[in-house]
Amino acid sequence: MEKLKAHNPYAMMGDYDRAYSSFSFKDVEKNFDWSKTGKVNIAHEAVDRHVDTIGNHIALRYLNDEREEQYTFKDISILSNRFANLLKELDVVRGDRIFIFMPRSPELYIAFIGMLKVGAIPVPVFEAFMKDGLLDRMGDCDPVAVVTSDIVKSRIPKEEVKSLKHVIVTGQTSGNEISFNDIKGKSPDFEPAWLGLDDPLLIHYTSGSTGKPKGVLHAQRAMIGHYQTGKWILNFKEDDVHWCTADPGWVTGTSYGIFSPWLNGVGIVIRGGRFSPKLWYQTIEKLKVTVWYSAPTAFRLLMGAGDDLSKNFDLQSLRMIVSVGEPLNSEVIQWSLKAFNQPIHDSWWMTECGMMVISNYPTMPILPGSMGKPFPGVEATVIDDNGTILDPGKVGNLALKKGWPSMMKEIWKNEEKFRKYFKFDPWFISGDSAYIDEEGYFHFIGRVDDVINTSGERVGPFEVESRLIEHPAVIEAGVIGKPDPLRGEIIKAFVMLKDGANEGANLKRELMDFVKKGLAAHASPREIEFVKILPKTRSGKILRRVLKARELGLEVGDTSGMGDN
Ligand code: WT7
């Protein structure tokens, strides 16, 4: 594959090799107030710090089918102070967990910053989750409060989560719920809780291949990585209009939907509502988006919507496009060169990383099909199953040397899961397989485990299987990711039914709906196959890799551990 010339050779990072050999994250600490005061709080650095300088700049532009609003940094500072005062009156204290469960809206962002000011730990979860999905997450970290909206609040398992004392609602309230509007009567002043760099920032739940979702706890120090990757990858300048299309229920939607731009004094765009190619192009045109961070599935859907559509919009404001979450195929980059007159830059990271760690930089030639090179200050490599570093071209485990500033602090209440990532200390094992070519570009191969990546969203097969077997007609289920040209992977379930259950299209639809209603829409299988028997290990574990191999028509491989099945 031919390399494309650097998109913006004059961008801030300058020559990649030079930056890589000379940069240290220590160099950027002077950009934060805490480097002088010793008082740490990301909400201060991302919002309050700007009030005296760019307080009147637009921090947030919100758009959905009914609302269109703008907030300055000063507005966000004051409103989040009011929210922090509300929490204080409710006796929320430093370290308390607070869930955020609502569709994207300005209130979500105001509440988020307000919680951080109190020193509470926000736990944002995607609005598509249903009761079981919420219960798994809430039951793990015992929140004292949840901020939600009248549209989704009925799914919150209030009875089951004993720690939950306060339900703060935007829109219609009932019973002893607290209205978000109550913030109007609160003081606009608030002194943030002053923390240390290693104190908690937030928790994102994410899925592994086994067990329930894990709570990835990040630390305040993550802001160092958010800040610098914004400068050098997204190439932020103060007058930029940044649109990160990810929901804050996922790490991309917080690290790059909130922190990275605001730490850099850059305004964000929030588009509410569902994906639609027309509305997305309209958003870029209307709000004059300059920096756009999105995912391959979205780009492929836009590509599929055709050039006739994109030609109707003025998209010339765009000057930097970056992608994350799934492999970015070169066809999409080629399309982008035509549709937007510039390439899309791939970036690789994961919830546990907290920031982009491998990327294509505006100053570096892009090799289509490659994820790029490690961020300066981050050491990345590929190691085999014994922890030995492999030569270029050899496929193995993608690993990062621990100690980059945004690396997770712990897995909530699960030391064992945390330690598993570091079995070859000092290397963090990502769970992805990859290789590095002779020129140092990293190439993605796949997941090593059974984790599914559908439309860039990470789904644990265990969660889906557990939900399926709650259905009265189901005995057992095995769930895999099946390759899909549009979505990367789709969720496919192999289901063993009870005797006498009525197989057929209706039952398939019912099961899909059952997962959607109980767990989450994005975790519902798109394909279901009824089987008489599921392949298992002797100890009774379902062999998903055998299901996958069969599905792909590949050699099933060594099945000696499979027992009688
Ligand atoms: C998994 C992490 C924080 C980023 C959003 C997803 C896959 C991520 C790429 C890429 C191929 C990618 C990996 C990774 N992934 N970026 N550029 N090319 N695969 O975060 O939900 O924690 O998922 O997404 O498999 O392990 P996540």
Side-chain angles (χ1 to χ4, degrees):
M1 182 64 67
E2 285 268 314
K3 281 205 279 280
L4 305 173
K5 65 177 196 306
H7 170 54
N8 182 353
Y10 308 106
M12 268 171 282
M13 184 172 77
D15 179 66
Y16 170 79
D17 292 323
R18 194 164 352 114
Y20 194 83
S21 61
S22 60
F23 173 78
S24 150
F25 278 106
K26 275 261 161 249
D27 304 344
V28 300
E29 295 189 359
K30 61 177 184 304
N31 296 298
F32 299 97
D33 280 356
W34 50 254
S35 70
K36 286 149 239 150
T37 62
K39 298 195 281 190
V40 178
N41 191 313
I42 196 169
H44 168 79
E45 305 291 339
V47 179
D48 293 353
R49 176 168 70 110
H50 300 312
V51 171
D52 288 337
T53 49
I54 49 164
N56 294 328
H57 286 206
I58 306 296
L60 193 160
R61 295 165 173 84
Y62 180 77
L63 189 66
N64 74 5
D65 301 340
E66 292 117 40
R67 283 171 78 177
E68 199 182 326
E69 291 163 20
Q70 293 193 341
Y71 297 79
T72 63
F73 279 104
K74 195 167 174 200
D75 294 334
I76 300 286
S77 173
I78 291 173
L79 290 164
S80 58
N81 281 349
R82 293 188 196 277
F83 189 83
N85 280 311
L86 172 82
L87 291 179
K88 212 171 155 193
E89 280 176 26
L90 296 174
D91 291 328
V92 170
V93 295
R94 184 171 160 172
D96 280 348
R97 276 77 59 208
I98 307 183
F99 269 65
I100 305 179
F101 175 59
M102 61 200 291
R104 261 163 288 171
S105 69
E107 291 77 16
L108 188 163
Y109 293 78
I110 290 160
F112 211 117
I113 298 296
M115 291 172 201
L116 291 166
K117 286 184 171 175
V118 181
I121 308 176
V123 191
V125 288
F126 188 42
E127 59 170 294
F129 280 106
M130 297 302 207
K131 201 168 175 186
D132 286 5
L134 286 170
L135 186 55
D136 281 347
R137 289 158 177 79
M138 291 184 159
D140 185 57
C141 71
D142 311 311
V144 299
V146 55
V147 183
T148 185
S149 87
D150 53 358
I151 302 170
V152 295
K153 68 178 187 184
S154 63
R155 302 185 212 146
I156 296 168
K158 274 195 253 180
E159 296 302 309
E160 294 87 339
V161 183
K162 298 285 177 242
S163 58
L164 199 57
K165 286 192 262 188
H166 313 291
V167 179
I168 304 169
V169 179
T170 60
Q172 211 62 44
T173 55
S174 57
N176 56 2
E177 292 168 357
I178 299 154
S179 168
F180 184 90
N181 282 334
D182 286 1
I183 71 166
K184 289 204 179 110
K186 308 297 169 210
S187 161
D189 301 314
F190 189 87
E191 164 100 8
W194 296 118
L195 312 167
L197 279 176
D198 210 37
D199 280 333
L201 169 62
L202 51 60
I203 296 174
H204 276 293
Y205 275 89
T206 192
S207 304
S209 50
T210 55
K212 303 238 184 204
K214 339 173 223 196
V216 177
L217 178 69
H218 282 286
Q220 295 277 329
R221 57 177 153 73
M223 72 175 100
I224 303 167
H226 298 155
Y227 175 86
Q228 195 61 17
T229 48
K231 275 225 159 8
W232 280 359
I233 303 176
L234 299 168
N235 200 24
F236 280 147
K237 302 194 189 58
E238 250 174 36
D239 58 355
D240 269 320
V241 177
H242 174 55
W243 187 24
C244 168
T245 60
D247 189 273
W250 313 115
V251 72
T252 310
T254 56
S255 292
Y256 295 97
I258 306 178
F259 300 130
S260 177
W262 281 0
L263 287 164
N264 279 288
V266 166
I268 59 174
V269 165
I270 308 299
R271 162 96 230 173
R274 284 178 157 264
F275 172 84
S276 132
K278 193 168 145 230
L279 292 177
W280 274 38
Y281 286 138
Q282 250 173 24
T283 303
I284 296 172
E285 179 181 76
K286 189 161 182 188
L287 302 180
K288 301 202 168 41
V289 171
T290 59
V291 181
W292 187 23
Y293 195 26
S294 197
T297 294
F299 292 126
R300 286 190 288 262
L301 287 165
L302 290 171
M303 182 167 91
D307 296 346
D308 287 348
L309 181 69
S310 57
K311 273 195 289 202
N312 291 331
F313 298 89
D314 178 0
L315 307 171
Q316 288 187 58
S317 57
L318 286 172
R319 58 169 197 84
M320 189 67 203
I321 314 179
V322 183
S323 168
V324 68
E326 320 154 58
L328 181 71
N329 34 329
S330 13
E331 294 90 308
V332 179
I333 300 181
Q334 297 306 331
W335 160 77
S336 164
L337 289 170
K338 279 195 293 151
F340 311 120
N341 228 341
Q342 58 196 298
I344 301 175
H345 299 79
D346 195 11
S347 69
W348 179 93
W349 56 300
M350 50 200 299
T351 306
E352 295 85 338
C353 300
M355 65 181 233
M356 298 186 234
V357 285
I358 295 175
S359 185
N360 288 280
Y361 307 91
T363 59
M364 188 179 86
I366 292 176
L367 178 63
S370 146
M371 309 189 285
K373 296 189 182 185
F375 194 80
V378 179
E379 217 178 305
T381 194
V382 171
I383 62 180
D384 70 11
D385 292 341
N386 302 313
T388 308
I389 293 180
L390 293 172
D391 288 336
K394 295 258 184 322
V395 174
N397 302 293
L398 177 53
L400 306 166
K401 173 114 27 105
K402 76 177 179 196
W404 71 94
S406 308
M407 188 183 93
M408 65 173 162
K409 178 178 161 69
E410 60 184 63
I411 299 292
W412 188 261
K413 281 200 298 209
N414 201 334
E415 173 77 28
E416 192 195 329
K417 286 238 156 139
F418 182 77
R419 252 191 266 122
K420 267 200 176 150
Y421 291 96
F422 298 97
K423 68 175 180 192
F424 298 122
D425 202 10
W427 296 106
F428 160 88
I429 308 294
S430 66
D432 282 6
S433 61
Y435 71 91
I436 310 173
D437 67 21
E438 295 287 345
E439 289 184 80
Y441 284 90
F442 282 64
H443 298 254
F444 178 83
I445 299 292
R447 282 296 299 183
V448 177
D449 54 23
D450 297 330
V451 168
I452 301 166
N453 187 338
T454 179
S455 302
E457 274 151 17
R458 186 163 152 186
V459 177
F462 179 77
E463 273 188 280
V464 186
E465 290 162 0
S466 309
R467 176 66 186 161
L468 281 167
I469 57 177
E470 281 174 28
H471 190 280
V474 176
I475 303 181
E476 271 182 320
V479 167
I480 61 162
K482 173 179 172 177
D484 180 79
L486 193 60
R487 294 186 165 76
E489 285 182 327
I490 57 162
I491 302 174
K492 171 153 189 180
F494 296 85
V495 173
M496 239 170 96
L497 294 174
K498 288 200 180 130
D499 279 346
N502 195 358
E503 284 190 24
N506 280 344
L507 183 56
K508 285 189 185 169
R509 239 169 285 127
E510 189 180 317
L511 291 175
M512 290 172 187
D513 219 41
F514 186 71
V515 179
K516 205 179 279 177
K517 294 225 170 88
L519 185 60
H522 66 274
S524 172
R526 278 186 183 259
E527 266 184 36
I528 292 182
E529 187 175 322
F530 295 130
V531 292
K532 294 271 169 268
I533 202 101
L534 284 166
K536 285 190 180 170
T537 60
R538 259 181 237 283
S539 60
K541 247 174 81 181
I542 292 170
L543 280 162
R544 301 190 190 106
R545 80 180 158 81
V546 174
L547 290 171
K548 190 147 179 170
R550 276 191 201 152
E551 181 68 35
L552 301 178
L554 301 173
E555 284 282 318
V556 171
D558 178 17
T559 54
S560 54
M562 280 171 59
D564 299 328
N565 287 332

